[in-house]
Amino acid sequence: MQRLEGINVANRLEKRQLLIAINCVAALSIFFFGYDQGMMGGVNNADDYVKLMGFGYIDEETGDPVVTNSLLQGGIVSVYYLGTLFGCLLGGWVGDKVGRIKAIALGSVWAIIGASLQCSAQNHNWMICARAVNGIGTGILNAIVPVWATETAEHTSRGQFIAIEFTLNIFGVVVAYWLEFGLSFVDGGKSPIRWRFPIAFQIIPLLVLFGMVWFFPESPRWLVKEGRDEEAKFILKRLRGSDESNSARAMAEYNDIRNIVQLENKESQKNSYFHMLFGIGSGELHTGRRVQLVIWLQIIQEWVGIAGVTVYAPTIFRIAGFSAEKSQWISGLNNIFYMFATLICVFTLDKIGRRWTLYWGAVGQGIAMFLAAAFSKLGQDASARGDDGKANAYGAAAASFVFIFTSVFGATWLTVPWLYPAEIFPLQVRAKGNAWGVFGWSIGNGWLTLLCPVMFAHLGEKTLHIFGACNIVAIPIVWALYPESNQRTLEEMDLLFAADTPWVWDAEATFARLKAEQPELVTAAENGRRVEDIEGSAVGKTTASHEA
């Protein structure tokens, strides 16, 4: 094959230029995702929105929203995550069935419909339904876009490209906050435009995404799985380079992918979501274990505190003693620091690995949460005593540690729970596997966005202590259960999860033993060996040793 049919950027660009172009399109989806999350923080403070939805009113003296029905407020926000829960499962199925490109287009259209319904909502019932529809579109995109990005990137730079995309994710949060902060001054913040325009604004990147994605190459790994080998070879050559040495490398990668497809088809025939969840019929692939890992990693990501900080940051700053208006601009400033902190991950994720990134993140986040809670309490106590000087000092300290928390999170836990599910699943179910990660994120985020208003209303700053404790608990969980995926090809993941126990030390020992027993595995394609023969014999030896 000399070129792809029609207009396609892969016909003109190659190597790093093509990878950058693919990741720019993926970043559009991730930008929308971030914008959509950050948007509700400002919407919840809009005078017209609070009254129209019927969950409270605005205090005329302070300008603070007074919530009389926190369950309704949290429910409107969290029903979005119910939509993402179903949307991710649909997106994973569609992505594995008809391809990554068509699934992205479907998600874009669905999200456009949801955004249109949201910005025209007239009551809370309408808004709840619109949020659910929009969530389905977001779920589809979140299930498939990271898979498309990782399947086109090289194993040495997967983390870097995904980290760059999530810088755009937080840029979306920043745009949402500052747009809404600016609109809060229109008609004294009482105009419907304060919340309707920000919701409608998200339609712009979605339209661009839908229009552009058709001109980009399909995942070569999905094409091999579907038997469209010539297209896959052409795209791989364009991704890795069409000169002689890079072309040979692309062919070696193609042969590894082809042989892994044959291995997985032989090893596992039952690939429904039900079979994946319970690990039924996956043999030595241990798909059920991988599903549990990605679901819980995403749930833990939300419980370390980011769900509360992202959506309810103004509430946190009001607890620390700041006014409603000051809370809004501090939240926006916090998100600017958050965005720049994600650049740390771009340069470290592929160097120190996924596990160490999560370790240092959990330590930093836990300390920041405990101290933010402590200074918030001191600030409130000083304010109650009428000591405004100390109240302001303690409030500033609390805000500083919220800044530190979001910066550390942006550099660590933001990216890894989204990258890991896109890396570790077998090719035959990679989109569905990543969908399980989004499923876990939907549960964790929806659960917390529903609980956050209630927790802050009843526990106040003690809510932050809960988040701090979750960071501490996360460290031994990651240490014991999550093997390192850094600098390993997507085709090597089946060996990494070949052990019969869930423990990391067994996974690494089994991986090392299988590679030592069959050293030619890493150059199987170049030597003309069939990867499934090598892996099959290795896995067979592993099974035999366990049976013995």
Side-chain angles (χ1 to χ4, degrees):
M1 176 178 285
Q2 298 300 313
R3 57 183 287 116
L4 298 173
E5 292 182 5
I7 302 173
N8 197 294
V9 296
N11 292 327
R12 299 183 64 86
L13 303 179
E14 67 173 344
K15 297 179 71 174
R16 191 166 183 84
Q17 288 183 328
L18 180 55
L19 282 171
I20 290 172
I22 288 171
N23 279 274
C24 285
V25 173
L28 269 176
S29 173
I30 303 298
F31 170 84
F32 153 72
F33 172 42
Y35 180 90
D36 208 36
Q37 276 195 294
M39 175 190 72
M40 287 307 292
V43 168
N44 278 331
N45 288 314
D47 186 299
D48 183 73
Y49 176 81
V50 171
K51 293 176 180 176
L52 187 64
M53 295 301 124
F55 58 71
Y57 61 92
I58 302 296
D59 189 305
E60 295 296 334
E61 293 185 5
T62 64
D64 294 345
V66 178
V67 178
T68 57
N69 189 341
S70 58
L71 187 61
L72 176 59
Q73 182 201 34
I76 291 173
V77 176
S78 62
V79 74
Y80 168 83
Y81 301 104
L82 180 65
T84 62
L85 189 147
F86 289 103
C88 70
L89 298 178
L90 174 62
W93 180 82
V94 172
D96 278 335
K97 194 79 173 175
V98 302
R100 313 326 190 196
I101 299 297
K102 290 179 181 177
I104 293 171
L106 173 65
S108 303
V109 171
W110 208 305
I112 289 169
I113 294 170
S116 301
L117 290 171
Q118 278 187 91
C119 69
S120 59
Q122 300 299 316
N123 52 60
H124 65 259
N125 290 324
W126 185 329
M127 191 65 174
I128 287 170
C129 292
R131 290 281 293 166
V133 172
N134 200 32
I136 292 173
T138 306
I140 295 171
L141 291 173
N142 287 352
I144 206 66
V145 169
V147 171
W148 183 52
T150 56
E151 287 185 335
T152 52
E154 293 195 76
H155 71 281
T156 54
S157 58
R158 280 196 311 263
Q160 182 183 54
F161 277 112
I162 295 295
I164 291 172
E165 290 174 17
F166 275 88
T167 299
L168 270 292
N169 174 263
I170 306 308
F171 179 62
V173 176
V174 170
V175 170
Y177 264 93
W178 284 107
L179 178 62
E180 289 172 327
F181 181 72
L183 290 171
S184 69
F185 294 97
V186 177
D187 294 333
K190 299 182 184 300
S191 172
I193 198 174
R194 181 178 175 182
W195 67 274
R196 292 193 188 275
F197 180 78
I199 294 176
F201 184 80
Q202 65 189 294
I203 296 173
I204 296 173
L206 289 169
L207 286 172
V208 175
L209 176 63
F210 177 77
M212 290 181 63
V213 75
W214 301 104
F215 304 107
F216 279 76
E218 182 57 84
S219 161
R221 287 172 166 82
W222 181 81
L223 290 171
V224 173
K225 182 171 77 78
E226 295 298 306
R228 293 160 61 177
D229 294 65
E230 293 306 311
E231 288 179 68
K233 289 177 188 177
F234 176 81
I235 293 170
L236 278 170
K237 287 179 181 178
R238 300 300 292 178
L239 287 168
R240 308 299 176 239
S242 52
D243 57 83
E244 187 175 345
S245 61
N246 285 319
S247 181
R249 198 161 55 92
M251 284 304 298
E253 187 175 353
Y254 159 75
N255 286 327
D256 281 344
I257 297 167
R258 182 197 63 196
N259 293 327
I260 282 293
V261 168
Q262 295 174 5
L263 165 68
E264 291 175 357
N265 288 338
K266 179 181 178 182
E267 189 70 25
S268 176
Q269 298 295 327
K270 298 178 179 180
N271 297 320
S272 70
Y273 281 117
F274 177 82
H275 290 102
M276 288 179 68
L277 180 61
F278 295 102
I280 299 172
S282 65
E284 295 289 334
L285 297 179
H286 299 297
T287 305
R289 182 191 307 162
R290 305 189 212 190
V291 168
Q292 295 298 326
L293 288 176
V294 301
I295 288 176
W296 285 103
L297 186 61
Q298 286 279 21
I299 291 175
I300 294 169
Q301 183 202 42
E302 299 309 318
W303 275 96
V304 298
I306 196 59
V309 169
T310 300
V311 182
Y312 294 100
T315 304
I316 292 174
F317 292 129
R318 281 199 296 274
I319 286 173
F322 295 110
S323 65
E325 183 179 317
K326 199 171 185 180
S327 295
Q328 283 295 305
W329 73 256
I330 290 176
S331 296
L333 189 61
N334 175 45
N335 283 311
I336 291 176
F337 278 84
Y338 188 7
M339 178 182 70
F340 284 113
T342 61
L343 294 174
I344 297 173
C345 199
V346 172
F347 299 105
T348 61
L349 188 54
D350 287 325
K351 289 185 174 16
I352 66 174
R354 305 355 174 191
R355 283 161 57 85
W356 276 101
T357 299
L358 295 177
Y359 290 155
W360 83 261
V363 171
Q365 290 162 187
I367 293 171
M369 279 284 97
F370 286 128
L371 291 175
F375 281 113
S376 292
K377 176 63 175 173
L378 292 171
Q380 291 175 87
D381 291 345
S383 181
R385 294 193 306 268
D387 190 344
D388 292 339
K390 283 190 175 181
N392 291 336
Y394 289 137
S400 297
F401 282 108
V402 171
F403 273 53
I404 291 171
F405 171 85
T406 52
S407 296
V408 174
F409 181 88
T412 58
W413 277 78
L414 171 68
T415 301
V416 175
W418 289 99
L419 172 62
Y420 203 73
E423 291 183 309
I424 68 169
F425 280 96
L427 173 57
Q428 63 179 195
V429 292
R430 188 164 293 137
K432 287 181 182 176
N434 193 57
W436 279 117
V438 184
F439 184 90
W441 170 82
S442 303
I443 293 173
N445 221 323
W447 184 7
L448 265 178
T449 7
L450 185 63
L451 285 177
C452 268
V454 180
M455 292 169 71
F456 279 116
H458 290 84
L459 300 176
E461 82 290 334
K462 295 182 182 66
T463 304
L464 305 184
H465 285 298
I466 296 174
F467 294 149
C470 289
N471 280 281
I472 304 306
V473 172
I475 296 172
I477 292 175
V478 171
W479 173 76
L481 297 174
Y482 289 84
E484 183 60 71
S485 60
N486 184 40
Q487 301 301 314
R488 286 168 170 157
T489 68
L490 298 179
E491 285 66 52
E492 285 181 310
M493 295 302 164
D494 289 343
L495 287 184
L496 186 61
F497 288 90
D500 288 336
T501 73
W503 310 118
V504 165
W505 46 90
D506 286 338
E508 292 291 350
T510 301
F511 181 85
R513 184 174 68 254
L514 297 182
K515 296 294 286 286
E517 290 173 355
Q518 304 291 339
E520 63 269 41
L521 177 62
V522 291
T523 56
E526 295 174 9
N527 293 336
R529 296 288 304 278
R530 289 167 57 87
V531 174
E532 80 267 24
D533 291 342
I534 297 170
E535 292 186 4
S537 63
V539 170
K541 290 178 184 178
T542 305
T543 306
S545 66
H546 280 296
E547 288 176 353

